[in-house]
Amino acid sequence: MNTIAVIGAGTMGNGIAHTFAQFGFNVNLIDISKENLQKGVDTITKNLDRMLAKEKISDKDKDQTLANISSFIDIPSGVKNVDLVVEAATENENLKLKIFSQLNDICDENVILASNTSSISITKIASVVKNQERVIGMHFMNPVPIMKLVEIIRGYNTSDEVTEKIMKLSEKLNKVPVEVNDYPGFVANRILMPMINEAIETLYNGVAGVYEIDTVMKLGMAHPMGPLQLADFIGLDVCLSILEVMYNGFKNPKYAPCPLLVNMVQAGKMGVKSGEGFYDYSESKKAEKVSAQFI
């Protein structure tokens, strides 16, 4: 594989594009918004500058990585003559089905179609594609250039050949691919989201405060960040979406989102990206100040 199309220039999309480009692949970064595309490229540049400052890459590496990335504002132009498409659009089932239906119509039948979905069924996504054996999940972790894991999700009809190709491709990115089967939440979020949800329930029930809950998990369980801080980092809207997928998929009340999480999302408190969640990010992007509503 030489040329990769990445659909979506948001947090995950620009991270995936950055990673492929850094390892020598030609990347077509696609987003229908020119503004989002520019923000995506700007983010990649800033992240490369950080790596340069830490002497992890050279000036030549930075320049070559940026040179490997081309920007497109429409899918048909961006996926022309590519070997792999990685969809990294918003975690919305209808949107993903629309994108894959479009890819089915315009991509060569040999092009592998991957989704970076964190919870939506790969089998369901593949249902709108004729050659379903070429559809697979490629779930990167955030921040993509740093995190080693790639969850490789096999849909019901995903072929052994496609799975092996994506496993090997992930290793070329200096990642550790782990193959899992297609069930709601896969492995990472099936375990992570109930923990985050329980942390929110613990806060909701008045057992302890934001800082106290996160401190217990960091110092007592050796987690690099507390679950409430992590929820803010992921995005509370994303956490809610994943929990709803698992709740609807399993019909098990243990996956039901905490009412506090639902209310915060409805109020626009999404975490880092909105400036406030369980912590206040108006002065710093670090989780240093607990949101006023929880003091």
Side-chain angles (χ1 to χ4, degrees), residues 8 15 18 31 46 53 67 72 98-99 130 205 218 231-232 294:
H18 172 165
D31 200 295
K46 289 177 183 177
F72 295 84
K98 181 179 179 181
I99 290 172
K130 290 179 182 177
N205 291 327
K218 287 190 287 186
D232 276 355
F294 300 118

Side-chain angles (χ1 to χ4, degrees), residues 11-175:
T11 300
M12 296 304 296
N14 69 61
I16 294 168
H18 172 165
T19 302
F20 273 108
Q22 188 175 333
F23 282 85
F25 292 89
N26 295 315
V27 178
N28 293 350
L29 182 58
I30 307 166
D31 200 295
I32 59 173
S33 166
K34 288 185 179 180
E35 182 181 357
N36 287 347
L37 268 177
Q38 189 57 56
K39 284 182 179 179
V41 174
D42 289 345
T43 298
I44 293 170
T45 304
K46 289 177 183 177
N47 289 335
L48 287 169
D49 285 336
R50 289 193 189 98
M51 297 174 77
L52 185 61
K54 294 178 181 179
E55 299 184 346
K56 292 184 177 181
I57 61 172
S58 65
D59 285 304
K60 182 179 179 181
D61 293 330
K62 174 191 171 182
D63 293 342
Q64 187 58 59
T65 298
L66 292 173
N68 287 341
I69 301 173
S70 301
S71 299
F72 295 84
I73 58 170
D74 66 283
I75 291 177
S77 299
V79 301
K80 188 176 182 180
N81 299 322
V82 301
D83 304 299
L84 166 69
V85 178
V86 180
E87 172 272 315
T90 304
E91 192 71 353
N92 177 288
E93 183 178 295
N94 289 333
L95 175 61
K96 291 183 187 295
L97 290 174
K98 181 179 179 181
I99 290 172
F100 274 79
S101 179
Q102 188 175 1
L103 293 174
N104 175 69
D105 293 336
I106 59 181
C107 287
D108 184 86
E109 63 181 18
N110 294 319
V111 176
I112 296 175
L113 307 178
S115 176
N116 181 60
T117 180
S118 53
S119 61
I120 298 170
S121 169
I122 297 301
T123 303
K124 180 67 176 291
I125 290 172
S127 68
V128 297
V129 177
K130 290 179 182 177
N131 299 34
Q132 295 185 15
E133 68 276 1
R134 62 177 170 151
V135 181
I136 194 166
M138 201 174 186
H139 180 208
F140 290 86
M141 304 294 124
N142 184 31
V144 181
I146 296 172
M147 299 294 280
K148 288 287 188 179
L149 176 67
V150 182
E151 219 177 7
I152 307 299
I153 305 104
R154 292 187 64 139
Y156 191 84
N157 292 308
T158 306
S159 70
D160 292 340
E161 180 184 4
V162 166
T163 302
E164 184 64 21
K165 283 183 178 180
I166 295 302
M167 294 284 282
K168 289 182 177 178
L169 176 64
S170 299
E171 290 172 351
K172 289 181 180 179
L173 301 176
N174 198 27
K175 302 296 185 188

Side-chain angles (χ1 to χ4, degrees), residues 222-259:
H223 290 195
M225 66 174 71
L228 300 176
Q229 179 187 357
L230 180 57
D232 276 355
F233 180 70
I234 293 169
L236 301 190
D237 54 333
V238 176
C239 292
L240 177 59
S241 175
I242 295 169
L243 283 164
E244 288 176 335
V245 167
M246 292 196 294
Y247 180 61
N248 293 330
F250 290 115
K251 301 296 188 292
N252 189 324
K254 75 177 182 179
Y255 298 113
C258 176

